[in-house]
Structures are given as structure tokens and as C-alpha cells.
């Protein structure tokens, strides 16, 4: 894959922060499964952080306070492993290499890395820490760290100093004696490194000199100001879904440009039971200019005879574009299309060399802008889901919206496995309704990040009364997560599951079996399609 193809991995991240020159930490991604976690941990310290491909070289350094090199599935011993030019940052900015990043710094400066005699994964403890080093300030001897590598540093370059070791690793951390260049063979960003947050705090605050002032309020102030400069008196159209992302994007744009924002909410017939009416009602008193459009028949007609998940997504996306474009053309002189795209949307929708491969087509990324010939504005595309919620709270977005579970753009169309029909939609809406309402009744809703019901293309034998039945099976899924990049299944109480199963089977015609999904992401995805 060429470097040019990599460039659009994070296409809009500098939309606002280049304007305001927000101080930031730059993470260079070598393909590690933990790269996004590094950025999250830095942001938790109120320091803005961006991820770019490993070969990225910024045009300006003034706002960049430090650089972190991620881990990688590569080995530095492989002939084809990345060897980017770091002359723009080494010796000029603080640099922290993690795992592969540390090994790369080592070999590039003349040290040696070899295959470890044993694969070094899991917990370890720091058996030695050099005194007087800012990176390890307040880090305790014997504190736990997390290893995940098959190579190990066997000899440091001449000007490098040993900072830490474990009982099994001779070089757990080092620094360049001539510059603020550091390396760690363990992962400070993961939960299992007990003082990893303190170590990252030492790096970004004490070594990089970050002021740690990136807060929801500062994001809102700078973004609103930049939106006002960028949009001026132009009209903007936004597709609302009733969910967190599009709602917070609408509130942010409304604060910046007021009535110049025109929102369209399309009923694709694949929403939850009563959702179209409930969403319009929730927006009624918020001051937003919202137009509701009923278009269920168009979507269901387009889905006839389609059972492939990707084709269903494309059909739903195509009809959405047609309906949205028609409605948008009824608004005169629209110049901009606003989207509620957030960071995971971009990650999961772009194929790159590394772990962030194309998982599914996404309704928020690609397609619509080219057809509508509108300029695109994405005020949330640098934020994780939990950060979007924090911004929403600061914008006074109602809790009923902020606390809503994520819901996919294609809606129940990808929760009905196989062909989508009106009867299947009605059945799944009822199943989903019993599940979601029970979560609220048992006060479990806010303990779940996302809950879903899935209708399987499988019929199972059952007994109702004195008759045998041959009806549909449904799956209930509930996961806990922070942003959807990883997720674990929620251990819902047995009595709760029993009641929900009983209510569904007794009240939803055509369903005689309910199962509960106990798969985590990875390896499973949250949605089934």
C-alpha cells in the first residue's frame, strides 16, 4: 500500500485545531492494537492528542509539544519494517517510543534488538528504576507493568541511559542522554500497567510542558469560534438521527450559526418502536430547526430480495441520499453538509495497513458529499464517544439524548439477518421494545453501553400449549464499552433475562426462542452484520 493511500486515514483532524494552534501530542501509528488507547489516555490528562500514520511529518511544529511512537505488529528485525525519517522531531521535541517504537529508536541509533528467548507477554514488575528521572517521578519500585512483545533490546546505543528493568527484561526503559528521547518496552497506556497514567502524566506535563487545559469547555469555545469563521452566513444542512453524535453536532452548530442550521430527520422505517415521534418531540423545545420526513416505504422497497449485509447497508445508504438530497434541495442556497462523524467512524471506515481494516461501510463517511456537491463540516470528527457526551453535557443537551444507547445508521436493517421485510421489522421492533423498556424498568439501562435485539434467519421448534411451533429465534445483546472500539458483554441478572425472554415469547407473534450473546469485541463485533 502506498503512502499516498495512507494519507486520508485522518482527513479532517486539523479542521479546527490548526486554526487555534491548540497545543497537542502527536501519536505516530505503526499499527498497534493499542494506538487508539494511547490517544485516549493522553486526552484523559486534558491534553489534545492526534493520531497520524507513522510517516506523517507536520508542516508546523509550534503547537506540537511531544511525539509518541506506537507499538506495531512488525518486528524491527524484519527487512520490510517501517523506517521513517524522524529528523524533524528527534532532538527537537520530546519523543516517547512504546514497545516497537522503543525498539525502533534503539536500532536507528546503533543499538541492538534480538528475538527474545521467550515471548514476553503479560504482567511484570519494575525491579530497578533510575533515580532523578522525570519520566519515572512518583513511579514505585515493584509497580506492575504490561509487556506485549516477542523482541527485546539487547544493547542500548552508546548515548542511551538505562532507566528501568524488570526481573526478566534487562532494558524496560531508557532515555537518550543528549535529548528528551525516551523508550519503554512495556505499555503504559493499558489498564494492567498500574502507574501508567502517572508515567504518561510525567511525559506530557513535566517533559513536554503541556498545560493540560483541553477540556469540553475549551473545545466548545474554540470550535464555535472556528465554525463561525469557516461558515460565516452560509446555510448548513444536517441529518439528525436522534442519537448522541448528530444531536451534539447540531447543538454545537446551532450555538455557532443559529437559524442558519437546517436539520432533517428521516424515518427510514428501520427505527425503534415509536422512535420517529419520540425524537421529534424531544427536539421540539430545543430551538433547533428540524424537519421530519417519513420515507419507510422507499427503504423497504429498496431492500426487497437483498440478504447480503454490505448490500443492505449500501441500499439503505443510497435511498437515504436520495431522500435527504430531495429534502435538502427544498432549502434554498445551502452551502454545507454537516455530519456527526466521530473518531471511531473514521477508523472503522478506512482500510489501512495495520489493524484498522475496513470492517463495514458506514453511513457517516463517504458518498453523500460528492453526490450533493456540498462542502462538508464535521465538528466532532476528532472526538471519541465519551468525549462527545462530555461536550454535550457542557452544551446542556438533555440527558435523555446523551444517555441514549448508540444506534446504527442502517438501524434494524442490520439487526434482521437476511432479507428485511415489513413483518420482520414489526416483530423486531416489539422484541427490542420489551428488551429496552425492561432495562429501564430494572434500572440497568445506564449500566449498558449498547443493547440490541437481533432477528435470526433461523426457525426453531417449540411447544406452545399443546401445539408444536416452528418459529423465529431472536438474540439479545448488551455490551459495556467506552467508545465501541472494544466491548465486553454485560452480565445481566438471570431473573431479568428470564422475565424478558418470557415477555417476548408470550407477546411477540412468530418468536419462540430467545438467546443471549456473551461474545466480546474483539473477536466479535457489537453488531451481527
Amino acid at each position: 500500500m502506498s503512502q499516498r493511500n495512507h494519507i486520508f486515514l485522518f482527513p479532517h483532524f486539523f479542521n479546527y485545531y490548526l486554526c487555534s494552534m491548540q497545543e497537542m501530542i502527536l501519536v505516530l501509528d505503526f499499527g498497534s492494537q493499542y494506538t487508539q488507547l494511547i490517544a485516549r489516555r493522553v486526552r484523559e490528562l486534558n491534553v489534545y492528542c492526534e493520531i497520524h500514520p507513522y510517516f506523517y511529518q507536520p508542516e508546523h511544529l509550534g503547537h506540537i509539544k511531544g511525539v509518541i511512537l506506537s507499538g506495531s505488529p512488525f518486528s524491527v528485525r524484519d527487512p520490510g519494517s517501517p523506517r521513517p525519517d524522524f529528523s524533524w522531531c528527534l532532538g527537537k521535541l520530546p519523543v516517547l517510543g512504546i514497545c516497537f517504537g522503543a525498539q525502533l529508536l534503539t536500532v536507528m541509533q546503533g543499538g541492538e534488538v534480538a528475538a527474545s528467548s521467550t515471548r514476553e507477554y503479560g504482567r511484570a514488575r519494575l525491579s530497578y528504576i533510575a533515580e532523578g528521572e522525570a519520566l519515572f517521578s512518583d513511579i514505585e519500585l515493584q509497580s506492575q507493568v504490561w509487556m506485549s512483545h516477542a523482541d527485546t533490546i539487547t544493547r542500548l546505543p552508546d548515548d542511551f541511559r538505562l532507566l528501568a528493568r524488570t526481573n526478566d527484561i534487562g532494558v524496560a526503559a531508557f532515555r537518550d542522554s543528549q535529548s528528551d528521547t525516551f523508550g519503554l518496552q512495556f505499555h503504559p497506556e493499558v489498564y494492567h500497567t498500574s502507574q501508567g497514567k502517572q508515567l504518561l502524566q510525567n511525559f506530557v506535563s513535566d517533559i513536554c510542558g503541556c498545560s493540560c487545559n483541553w477540556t469540553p469547555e475549551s473545545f466548545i469555545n474554540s470550535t464555535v469560534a472556528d465554525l463561525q469563521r469557516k461558515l460565516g452566513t452560509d446555510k448548513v444542512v444536517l441529518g439528525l438521527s436522534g442519537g448522541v453524535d448528530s444531536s451534539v453536532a447540531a447543538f454545537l452548530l446551532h450555538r455557532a450559526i443559529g437559524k442558519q442550521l437546517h436539520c432533517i430527520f428521516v424515518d427510514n422505517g428501520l427505527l425503534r418502536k415509536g422512535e420517529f415521534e419520540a425524537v421529534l418531540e424531544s427536539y421540539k423545545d430545543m430551538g433547533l430547526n428540524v424537519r421530519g420526513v417519513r420515507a419507510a416505504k422507499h427503504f423497504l422497497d429498496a431492500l426487497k430480495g437483498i440478504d447480503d449485509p454490505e448490500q443492505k447497508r449500501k441500499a439503505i445508504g443510497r435511498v437515504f441520499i436520495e431522500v435527504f438530497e430531495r429534502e435538502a434541495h427544498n432549502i434554498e442556497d445551502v452551502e454545507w453538509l454537516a455530519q456527526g462523524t466521530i473518531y471511531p467512524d473514521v477508523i472503522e471506515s478506512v482500510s489501512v495497513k495495520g489493524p484498522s481494516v475496513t470492517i463495514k461501510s458506514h453511513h457517516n463517511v463517504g458518498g453523500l458529499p460528492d453526490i450533493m456537491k456540498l462542502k462538508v463540516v464535521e465538528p466532532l470528527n476528532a472526538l471519541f464517544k465519551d468525549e462527545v457526551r462530555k461536550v454535550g453535557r457542557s452544551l446542556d443537551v438533555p440527558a435523555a439524548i446523551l444517555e441514549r444507547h448508540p444506534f446504527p445508521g442502517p438501524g434494524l436493517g442490520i439487526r434482521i439477518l437476511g432479507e428485511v421485510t415489513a413483518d420482520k421489522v414489526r416483530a423486531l421492533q416489539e422484541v427490542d421494545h420489551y428488551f429496552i423498556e425492561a432495562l429501564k424498568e430494572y434500572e440497568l439501562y445506564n449500566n449498558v453501553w449498547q443493547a440490541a435485539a437481533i432477528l435470526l434467519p433461523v426457525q426453531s421448534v417449540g411447544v406452545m400449549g399443546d401445539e408444536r411451533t416452528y418459529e423465529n429465534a431472536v438474540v439479545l445483546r448488551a455490551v459495556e464499552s467506552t467508545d465501541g472500539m472494544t466491548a465486553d458483554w454485560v452480565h445481566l441478572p438471570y431473573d431479568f433475562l428470564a422475565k424478558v425472554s418470557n415477555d417476548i415469547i408470550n407477546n411477540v407473534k412468530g418468536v419462540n426462542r430467545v438467546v443471549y450473546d456473551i461474545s466480546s469485541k474483539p473477536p466479535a463485533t457489537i453488531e451481527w452484520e
Side-chain angles (χ1 to χ4, degrees), residues 85-162:
D85 178 9
F86 289 140
S87 60
W88 61 270
C89 62
L90 285 180
K92 301 172 184 176
L93 294 170
V95 175
L96 175 64
I98 296 175
C99 199
F100 174 89
Q103 295 164 1
L104 181 61
L105 290 172
T106 298
V107 298
M108 290 178 71
Q109 299 298 317
E112 294 180 359
V113 172
S116 176
S117 56
T118 59
R119 294 169 68 84
E120 294 160 347
Y121 294 106
R123 296 171 176 83
R125 295 194 177 275
L126 296 177
S127 60
Y128 165 78
I129 298 175
E131 294 183 2
E133 287 290 341
L135 186 64
F136 281 85
S137 178
D138 296 323
I139 303 298
E140 299 172 358
L141 199 62
Q142 297 300 320
S143 66
Q144 180 177 283
V145 296
W146 186 260
M147 299 288 183
S148 181
H149 57 93
D151 293 340
T152 193
I153 297 171
T154 55
R155 184 178 65 82
L156 286 172
D158 292 342
D159 289 333
F160 281 26
R161 180 190 178 201
L162 177 69

Side-chain angles (χ1 to χ4, degrees), residues 73-87:
F74 291 105
S75 166
V76 293
R77 298 180 296 106
D78 294 340
S81 64
R83 289 290 193 277
D85 178 9
F86 289 140
S87 60

